[in-house]
Amino acid sequence: MSSLQALCSGLPLRPLPENRGRWAGVPHAPVRTPSLSPAEEQLALRNALRYFPPDVHELLAPEFAQELRLYGHIYMYRFCPDVKMRAYPIEQYPCQTRAAAAIMHMIMNNLDPAVAQFPQELVTYGGNGQVFSNWAQFWLVMSYLSQMTEEQTLVMYSGHPLGLFPSSPGAPRLVITNGMVATATLVPRESSMLTLLNAGRRYLGVKDLTGKVFVTSGLGGMSGAQAKAAVIVGCIGVIAEVDKAALMKRHEQGWLMEVTDSLDHCIERLRYGAGKVGRPQTGGTGSGGVRRAICSALCPSREARKRKEVLSLGYHGNVVDLWERLVHELATTGELLVDLGSDQTSCHNPFNGGYYPVQLGFTEAQSLMASDPAAFKHLVQESLRRQVSAINRLAKENFFFWDYGNAFLLEAQRAGETRQRYPRHASLCPCRDIFSLGFGPFRWVCTSGDPQDLAVTDQLAASVLEGVVADGVNPGVKLQYADNIRWIREAAKHRLVVGSQARILYSDQKGRVAIAVAFNQAIARGKIKAPVVLSRDHHDVSGTDSPFRETSNIYDGSAFCADMAVQNFVGDAFRGATWVALHNGGGVGWGEVINGGFGLVLDGTQEAEQKAKMMLSWDVSNGVARRCWAGNQKAYEIIRQTMQDDEGLVVTLPHEVADERVLSQALRP
């Protein structure tokens, strides 16, 4: 019989325990009927094998496949321990903390055959109320608990031990989430810029976007940042907007260089460029006119793209008309006038003003929306089908479109447009790749309201990031650091502040902590006059479970689970956040996403510095660890490096299936 010491030493692998199968004389859980497809069966088997090194996969794969087909679940019966399951006295558990021993006591009580409903299937009660999903998880949890200190917390996602994360003696030693589901946000301003840069690298294979054309829609709310993003990265941006007020607001704020209500002018501007740009003019339209910054002379001999013009052009009209006109130009002249495309209409709310159908003007659409919602919905879905059809045609050329995570492609699919399968036309937000590297939005607000304080924080942030790079960073994140240093060095001249004196950049764990510490010390010295608030509502490495956006590149079948965001919310709370928030919805709509948000006040005290170090580290590493476990290689590399830098961080790392034939052979009929 195994001892409690052996039970806490990790998965028994050398040698493997004997497979004794199902026990006789104890009740067993009913057979599940998941009705998995062959691809889903293979994914289930792959997910089970990631707990084990490749050299035992060939032996374990057929066993696990048989369990899946016989019982509808992989319990890993071979690893059911032969120690008698019961609640041993707390002193007998080999632990560093009594809290960990108490947790072990409770776990083993729940699996005691005298207590558990189906002990070998790890079901304690309720027919399917499992303590763990499989026996590998049991062994790993016992091992983590035995080594856990008073400055670590074990994090568990629906039975899976994500790992030990640094915390404090006053924090919980264990945080469990079970069955959290998000059924998929708005993007902070800088993410528009970073998304464009990363789209250029990924799709076009270029680091420099000058001369490239980006077409999109939406200038209200956070989507208004698209115009500024185009200018900052040096490309030509054409942004369609049906609401004249939103369009003019962005023009008056200086975010749009030019506006027009003419499709002909848009095409001329893309094709020919400008000689000398004149003063904004007023164009007569049925709605009373819209200001146009129309070039005073056209230069047919020099194309705007070849001249590498920088331009943000707002088109007052429906983006479907613009896409269809670009298709027309391709068909009649052979010219592809666009390189990159996206959509930032509020398509998560398409039938209540988030998307306006091309068949109607703005005012007409608002009227029909109120008087005949069914007719309005019909027109919206027809418009979505037309939009996707036009984008599909362009995507056959050297043009790349991505869904910005606003549920555009999802709603188009619901409308009956299923032809969204071009390799270059994917429901893909490039920010997901950034998140796998641990980079996400890091926002701060200078509560003094003084622009000089914001200028000081800009300088500090840039200097800190440059120092981090000089000290050495993972080669995979160097470009991200360069992008953000460029952004923050140029941010002030682009006049981005609207409302409070706030700024945002993208950073990883190391950068965020270093910036927060620098801010806090500057406040203590009086260099910054008042506290600085760090905050986030949604859209980040760890804070958002959104299967149609931030977590749509989670390929282990858990994309619809929301353990990460809920754990993020809880973990931030006991690591020092000034406030925390848990949201259903945000950006992609109610019932489609779960977001965990926080606020942290830096006031110059040593206590604030310690809270920032602890909370910001968790706020990033949680999401990187989750992406690592889901099989993302970039996240794997980052979390391994983070564990080397912080001995208090111990994460469960997945094993890859080295030979794909192991899966197919194990699952042969």
Side-chain angles (χ1 to χ4, degrees):
M1 179 180 291
S2 298
S3 66
L4 290 179
Q5 187 71 47
L7 204 62
C8 296
S9 60
L11 273 168
L13 299 171
R14 306 286 186 269
L16 288 171
E18 179 188 356
N19 184 8
R20 294 174 294 132
R22 274 189 159 194
W23 297 337
V26 298
H28 289 283
V31 173
R32 301 186 187 185
T33 54
S35 301
L36 301 179
S37 68
E40 289 167 337
E41 284 187 332
Q42 191 169 101
L43 179 60
L45 184 56
R46 184 189 304 277
N47 285 345
L49 291 173
R50 63 183 159 172
Y51 285 101
F52 305 93
D55 63 314
V56 297
H57 285 182
E58 189 172 357
L59 174 64
L60 296 179
E63 291 179 14
F64 293 169
Q66 184 181 41
E67 288 183 23
L68 182 62
R69 288 180 166 169
L70 287 178
Y71 311 120
H73 188 81
I74 299 174
Y75 296 103
M76 306 182 184
Y77 288 122
R78 176 189 285 269
F79 295 94
C80 182
D82 60 2
V83 66
K84 179 175 174 57
M85 284 288 178
R86 69 179 182 88
Y88 291 87
I90 191 169
E91 291 81 9
Q92 295 185 25
Y93 295 101
C95 297
Q96 298 189 52
T97 73
R98 287 182 65 82
I103 295 169
M104 287 184 174
H105 181 90
M106 301 300 287
I107 288 172
M108 295 194 69
N109 182 68
N110 280 333
L111 294 174
D112 184 339
V115 175
Q117 184 178 14
F118 305 122
Q120 206 178 7
E121 288 75 43
L122 303 112
V123 175
T124 189
Y125 70 96
N128 59 0
Q130 289 183 282
V131 182
F132 300 99
S133 181
N134 57 60
W135 284 105
Q137 293 175 349
F138 168 83
W139 285 92
L140 288 171
V141 165
M142 296 296 282
S143 175
Y144 279 137
L145 289 171
S146 70
Q147 61 186 282
M148 184 171 64
T149 71
E150 292 283 4
E151 294 186 337
Q152 291 173 308
T153 293
L154 176 59
V155 173
M156 291 179 60
Y157 283 19
S158 297
H160 169 69
L162 191 66
L164 294 171
F165 291 79
S167 59
S168 66
R173 299 279 70 85
L174 172 64
V175 178
I176 301 169
T177 50
N178 281 318
M180 299 293 106
V181 177
T183 62
T185 297
L186 294 175
V187 186
R189 291 167 188 160
E190 197 223 357
S191 72
S192 298
M193 172 199 134
L194 293 178
T195 297
L196 273 175
L197 287 173
N198 283 285
R201 292 171 187 142
R202 179 168 187 165
Y203 297 143
L204 303 179
V206 298
K207 296 179 181 178
D208 184 0
L209 285 175
T210 54
K212 303 300 181 183
V213 174
F214 171 55
V215 170
T216 185
S217 56
L219 284 165
M222 292 185 181
S223 60
Q226 297 181 105
K228 271 293 184 185
V231 172
I232 293 170
V233 303
C235 73
I236 301 162
V238 182
I239 305 95
E241 173 58 60
V242 295
D243 184 352
K244 175 184 171 184
L247 181 86
M248 297 314 302
K249 177 181 177 181
R250 296 308 185 194
H251 183 54
E252 290 160 4
Q253 290 173 338
W255 291 29
L256 285 171
M257 295 167 65
E258 304 178 12
V259 296
T260 184
D261 57 5
S262 167
L263 278 174
D264 288 341
H265 178 65
C266 288
I267 298 303
E268 288 172 346
R269 205 67 181 84
L270 292 180
R271 180 172 285 138
Y272 300 120
K276 180 180 179 182
V277 177
R279 291 177 59 82
Q281 302 175 6
T282 299
T285 68
S287 60
V290 61
R291 198 177 300 177
R292 302 180 189 180
I294 301 177
C295 43
S296 59
L298 298 178
C299 305
S301 61
R302 293 182 295 176
E303 294 182 3
R305 296 159 83 185
K306 289 182 179 178
R307 294 176 64 239
K308 296 190 174 180
E309 232 183 305
V310 175
L311 172 66
S312 57
L313 173 61
Y315 167 58
H316 181 219
N318 197 293
V319 73
V320 180
D321 285 327
L322 179 56
W323 286 121
E324 291 181 341
R325 177 61 181 268
L326 289 167
V327 171
H328 173 76
E329 294 299 320
L330 177 64
T332 57
T333 69
E335 282 187 280
L336 179 67
L337 295 175
V338 58
D339 302 287
L340 296 170
S342 189
D343 188 278
Q344 271 210 63
T345 55
S346 296
C347 230
H348 62 279
N349 187 30
F351 311 123
N352 291 285
Y355 181 95
Y356 283 80
V358 67
Q359 305 92 324
L360 301 176
F362 184 63
T363 304
E364 292 176 291
Q366 287 185 320
S367 177
L368 185 64
M369 190 191 315
S371 64
D372 193 343
F376 182 79
K377 178 178 180 178
H378 174 77
L379 292 179
V380 164
Q381 293 189 321
E382 181 182 298
S383 183
L384 284 166
R385 291 192 294 269
R386 283 175 57 178
Q387 184 170 344
V388 171
S389 179
I391 291 168
N392 282 349
R393 174 61 190 92
L394 295 169
K396 292 180 179 179
E397 312 299 326
N398 194 34
F399 161 75
F400 302 83
F401 180 91
W402 68 91
D403 182 327
Y404 223 115
N406 60 339
F408 166 66
L409 291 184
L410 174 66
E411 287 301 332
Q413 188 174 40
R414 288 170 175 170
E417 178 51 78
T418 58
R419 296 169 296 164
Q420 305 168 19
R421 296 295 179 263
Y422 293 110
R424 297 168 180 167
H425 171 75
S427 179
L428 179 64
C429 181
C431 65
R432 302 173 318 171
D433 294 336
I434 305 173
F435 292 160
S436 297
L437 295 171
F439 276 76
F442 183 64
R443 179 172 63 199
W444 65 88
V445 179
C446 296
T447 63
S448 66
D450 187 343
Q452 182 56 37
D453 274 355
L454 186 61
V456 172
T457 61
D458 284 348
Q459 179 60 42
L460 282 172
S463 298
V464 164
L465 294 182
E466 288 168 347
V468 170
V469 173
D471 290 341
V473 295
N474 187 298
V477 303
K478 278 189 175 180
L479 273 177
Q480 302 304 324
Y481 268 95
D483 289 345
N484 282 279
I485 292 168
R486 169 186 172 184
W487 156 262
I488 204 66
R489 287 291 188 198
E490 298 180 3
K493 74 178 183 181
H494 290 291
R495 296 185 298 141
L496 293 165
V497 173
V498 178
S500 61
Q501 294 296 313
R503 190 72 81 212
I504 193 168
L505 55 73
Y506 268 46
S507 188
D508 60 358
Q509 177 178 327
K510 186 179 293 186
R512 294 185 201 204
V513 171
I515 291 171
V517 169
F519 286 178
N520 197 60
Q521 292 176 353
I523 295 166
R525 295 193 305 267
K527 191 174 180 181
I528 298 173
K529 302 179 196 63
V532 170
V533 174
L534 308 179
S535 71
R536 182 199 68 240
D537 50 2
H538 52 239
H539 183 75
D540 202 357
V541 178
S542 301
T544 298
D545 277 300
S546 180
F548 294 106
R549 184 173 175 153
E550 283 83 355
T551 48
S552 56
N553 64 340
I554 299 294
Y555 300 125
D556 66 348
S558 69
F560 286 84
C561 296
D563 295 87
M564 180 177 71
V566 177
Q567 286 276 1
N568 185 256
F569 161 79
V570 176
D572 283 353
F574 65 74
R575 287 180 173 87
T578 308
W579 66 83
V580 292
L582 189 63
H583 315 277
N584 182 323
V588 297
W590 291 98
E592 309 282 1
V593 58
I594 298 294
N595 295 299
F598 76 86
L600 176 62
V601 176
L602 301 176
D603 59 7
T605 63
Q606 186 62 34
E607 181 185 13
E609 181 173 320
Q610 290 305 116
K611 287 179 177 179
K613 289 178 178 178
M614 185 70 69
M615 198 216 78
L616 293 174
S617 295
W618 156 256
D619 199 67
V620 176
S621 59
N622 171 35
V624 179
R626 188 268 177 99
R627 287 170 164 79
C628 166
W629 182 247
N632 187 291
Q633 186 60 36
K634 294 177 181 177
Y636 182 91
E637 294 170 3
I638 295 299
I639 204 66
R640 279 182 62 92
Q641 181 63 54
T642 308
M643 283 196 288
Q644 291 176 16
D645 296 340
D646 186 349
E647 62 181 15
L649 177 66
V650 186
V651 168
T652 306
L653 298 175
H655 295 281
E656 289 187 357
V657 174
D659 187 349
E660 293 292 319
R661 291 173 298 180
V662 168
L663 301 177
S664 56
Q665 291 173 2
L667 291 166
R668 282 185 300 191

